Amino acid sequence: MTTQAQEIKSLAEDAEFQVMATIDICKWVAAIARAIARDVDTGGGADVPVLADLAKYFDDSGATCLDAAFDQLKKIAALVPAPRSAQLENVARESGVSSHES
């Protein structure tokens, strides 16, 4: 495997990990929100401040994970530039739309 392909694979795996971590954090925040609602209903809301702080902590962590995933995807994009206008012109020609019509 070439060095560039290895780097792309590594970046993609890291981005996937970061996205999966973010999904887990979202599930945790949702569970905390349900716990807050239950506490309000059954416990008079005594634990709401602590649970809200915990939700904020996880929410802040989730944003960091997602930012890291986007950074990895940007690195991949920099390594493999998107196709340029020649390909776009072919698509337009095949669809019957000229590049001047859009």
Side-chain angles (χ1 to χ4, degrees):
M1 190 182 298
T2 68
T3 303
Q4 186 178 24
Q6 290 171 333
E7 186 174 358
I8 291 169
K9 183 179 184 293
S10 175
L11 290 168
E13 287 171 349
D14 191 40
E16 179 185 22
F17 173 80
Q18 296 297 338
V19 169
M20 297 305 290
T22 301
I23 290 169
D24 286 342
I25 289 168
C26 289
K27 290 177 183 177
W28 298 336
V29 170
I32 293 168
R34 289 188 300 273
I36 289 171
R38 278 192 299 273
D39 184 54
V40 168
D41 287 343
T42 61
D47 292 328
V48 169
V50 174
L51 290 169
D53 284 344
L54 182 60
K56 183 176 178 347
Y57 171 79
F58 281 127
D59 187 46
D60 290 344
S61 299
T64 302
C65 291
L66 202 51
D67 286 342
F70 283 122
D71 287 343
Q72 297 304 82
L73 294 172
K74 287 176 188 175
K75 289 177 185 176
I76 292 170
L79 289 172
V80 183
R84 296 291 172 216
S85 61
Q87 205 169 22
L88 293 174
E89 289 174 13
N90 289 339
V91 170
R93 238 181 272 121
E94 290 173 8
S95 66
V97 177
S98 74
S99 59
H100 300 291
E101 292 177 33
S102 37

